Amino acid sequence: DAMVIQNPRYQVTQFGKPVTLSCSQTLNHNVMYWYQQKSSQAPKLLFHYYDKDFNNEADTPDNFQSRRPNTSFCFLDIRSPGLGDAAMYLCATSRVGFVGIDEQYFGPGTRLTVT
Amino acid sequence: KNEVEQSPQNLTAQEGEFITINCSYSVGISALHWLQQHPGGGIVSLFMLSSGKKKHGRLIATINIQEKHSSLHITASHPRDSAVYICAVRKSGGSNYKLTFGKGTLLTVNP
């Protein structure tokens, strides 16, 4: 059973046309992450939510925004995609509890193409 | 210098061989993760370690906290093991929910 689900798996958008990527989880984890991964590179953390608290990485462009309306869902909004934003976008979750932080569970990713 | 270094960067093996991928880190950590990513695919978490050794099927992961070193072993390798293996650490201290990633090791297992 899928635990971290990302939709769509493939997304094509036009230069400058806003796009939203979706992530949902059935694990009831309190932390959700969005990563950007370009070809042959390590994933780069864009931001994460701890419950409703939003934590932006210092070098994440303003073009990238996120929403977490409830525990299960998290969205990545790219306001004006550029050609350089073409990448795989990975969502991940983890649980922070009294004994520390559990491992991260990753979704299958959404591959974004910008034309 | 990267805080997480993996070796080798690329590894080619014949089916059935025993494989070792190494990870060294230069920071204090609370946990180390081994992740697997097939070409064009998402990431699967294989292990999370804070000490000792873990085994799952043909995969074994070990960590030596004093030496700041971890190894991932694959016994009786198979072509379906071909993937990028990524070492990632969670730094100790503070409310650190982030992972610091190595650059990955591309493993190709030939039949």
Side-chain angles (χ1 to χ4, degrees):
Chain A
D1 291 334
M3 294 181 288
V4 183
I5 303 158
Q6 290 188 244
N7 286 303
R9 296 290 308 278
Y10 301 90
Q11 175 74 57
V12 180
T13 191
Q14 292 178 333
F15 182 93
K17 185 175 180 181
V19 65
T20 294
L21 309 183
S22 168
C23 177
S24 63
Q25 54 133 338
T26 60
L27 298 161
N28 204 34
H29 283 173
N30 48 9
V31 186
M32 294 187 77
Y33 310 79
W34 277 106
Y35 292 91
Q36 179 194 63
Q37 186 180 29
K38 296 189 177 180
S39 183
S40 302
Q41 295 183 20
K44 177 181 180 297
L45 183 65
L46 296 173
F47 23 61
H48 74 275
Y49 276 93
Y50 179 17
D51 290 327
K52 292 185 178 181
D53 292 334
F54 177 70
N55 299 271
N56 199 30
E57 292 301 296
D59 57 354
T60 297
D62 292 340
N63 199 25
F64 291 86
Q65 304 285 318
S66 185
R67 297 170 282 135
R68 188 179 186 187
N70 55 52
T71 300
S72 301
F73 285 87
C74 195
F75 300 99
L76 170 61
D77 301 307
I78 308 176
R79 292 194 297 189
S80 182
L83 297 179
D85 297 327
M88 174 77 91
Y89 290 88
L90 296 161
C91 175
T93 73
S94 64
R95 182 181 61 184
V96 176
F98 292 112
V99 294
I101 306 170
D102 289 347
E103 60 190 295
Q104 284 194 18
Y105 290 81
F106 287 82
T110 294
R111 183 164 297 283
L112 178 69
T113 301
V114 182
T115 61
Chain B
K1 191 174 188 294
N2 293 329
E3 292 175 321
V4 181
E5 296 277 1
Q6 287 185 237
S7 62
Q9 280 189 301
N10 293 282
L11 180 57
T12 301
Q14 287 301 119
E15 183 173 357
E17 286 184 0
F18 180 85
I19 287 161
T20 295
I21 299 170
N22 295 301
C23 176
S24 297
Y25 52 92
S26 57
V27 294
I29 68 168
S30 58
L32 181 143
H33 299 248
W34 280 103
L35 310 168
Q36 179 194 57
Q37 187 172 30
H38 284 98
I43 291 176
V44 174
S45 178
L46 299 175
F47 296 103
M48 184 178 77
L49 294 163
S50 54
S51 65
K53 175 180 174 178
K54 286 190 176 180
K55 184 175 188 293
H56 186 257
R58 294 180 295 106
L59 302 177
I60 303 166
T62 64
I63 188 168
N64 185 317
I65 297 294
Q66 286 73 31
E67 295 186 3
K68 295 188 174 178
H69 181 269
S70 175
S71 293
L72 175 69
H73 304 286
I74 305 176
T75 61
S77 60
H78 191 276
R80 64 175 174 266
D81 297 326
S82 299
V84 175
Y85 291 84
I86 304 168
C87 173
V89 302
R90 193 183 305 279
K91 296 181 190 179
S92 55
S95 300
N96 191 349
Y97 310 123
K98 300 187 290 188
L99 294 179
T100 301
F101 293 86
K103 292 188 175 180
T105 295
L106 175 61
L107 171 65
T108 303
V109 181
N110 294 317

